């Protein structure tokens, strides 16, 4: 009985150690490609003038738009999608023509007795940078991020 137990224990140890060497680990040599920065003329962080953006809720699919960003920059494009996510949340997708291949996604949040809050992001899969539109300290701010640190939904 004692010999069978020892032989069985040795057999289990041998099988366990052989499974440890069954596969060689594959070295990971993943490098993120360096993509061109298409928003290089836009500052890292800038305050936006949103006064002319107030008609966003009335835009329909197919409408050509032009949105001033700062004194020197603007976005031009066409509304490609308009989705009502909830009773007070609306989402707009705008394909930009002055930045080919770029999508401007805006989310409009309307609360009773309050102005509409806008958040958004501007992303191009072939670009190395992303622009985020946020509301901070009663101002709309456009902030640039590297795309490699940005996750899309």
């Amino acid at each position: 009985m004692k010999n069978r137990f020892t032989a069985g224990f040795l057999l289990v140890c041998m099988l366990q150690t052989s499974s440890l060497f069954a596969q060689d680990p594959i070295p990971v040599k993943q490098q993120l490609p360096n993509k061109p920065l298409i928003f290089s003329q836009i500052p890292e962080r800038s305050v936006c003038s949103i006064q002319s953006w107030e008609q966003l809720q009335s835009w329909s699919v197919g409408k050509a738009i032009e949105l001033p960003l700062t004194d020197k920059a603007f976005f031009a494009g066409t509304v490609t999608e308009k989705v009502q996510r909830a009773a007070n949340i609306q989402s707009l997708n705008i394909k930009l023509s002055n930045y080919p291949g770029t999508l401007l996604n805006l989310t409009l949040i309307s609360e009773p007795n309050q102005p509409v809050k806008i958040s958004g992001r501007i992303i191009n899969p072939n670009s190395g940078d992303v622009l985020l539109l946020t509301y901070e300290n009663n101002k709309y701010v456009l902030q640039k991020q590297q795309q490699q640190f940005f996750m899309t939904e």
Side-chain angles (χ1 to χ4, degrees):
M1 180 79 176
K2 191 173 185 181
N3 290 336
R4 283 186 180 171
F5 180 73
T6 305
F9 179 73
L10 288 174
L11 181 65
V12 168
C13 288
M14 286 175 31
L15 290 174
Q16 186 67 22
T17 57
S18 67
S19 68
L20 290 175
F21 299 107
Q23 295 179 355
D24 293 330
I26 299 171
V28 178
K29 294 181 182 178
Q30 180 181 6
Q31 293 182 350
L32 295 173
N34 290 333
K35 296 180 180 180
L37 305 177
I38 63 170
F39 301 118
S40 58
Q41 76 279 7
I42 297 173
E44 290 292 321
R45 186 174 173 88
S46 61
V47 176
C48 295
S49 57
I50 302 290
Q51 289 81 18
S52 61
W53 293 32
E54 294 176 0
Q55 71 273 13
L56 288 171
Q57 290 180 312
S58 65
W59 290 351
S60 59
V61 174
K63 178 173 175 58
I65 56 102
E66 198 169 289
L67 296 170
L69 176 63
T70 61
D71 295 337
K72 299 177 183 176
F74 70 95
F75 294 129
T78 306
V79 177
T80 57
E81 188 176 20
K82 184 176 181 179
V83 178
Q84 190 76 36
R85 303 263 180 216
N88 63 335
I89 300 174
Q90 193 173 47
S91 181
L92 290 169
N93 287 333
I94 301 165
K95 188 175 181 180
L96 299 179
S97 57
N98 58 339
Y99 294 98
T102 304
L103 180 71
L104 166 60
N105 173 265
L106 295 173
T107 301
L108 312 171
I109 302 170
S110 56
E111 296 291 333
N113 302 323
Q114 292 190 11
V116 175
K117 297 248 195 254
I118 304 169
S119 67
R121 57 187 159 201
I122 303 147
I123 188 164
N124 184 327
N126 300 321
S127 171
D129 51 358
V130 174
L131 294 176
L132 299 176
L133 178 68
T134 56
Y135 189 71
E136 299 174 4
N137 301 326
N138 297 325
K139 297 178 197 169
Y140 285 98
V141 176
L142 196 65
Q143 185 171 353
K144 199 183 310 186
Q145 278 189 358
Q146 291 182 9
Q147 189 184 32
Q148 65 186 10
F149 302 124
F150 182 77
M151 184 175 5
T152 58
E153 296 174 2

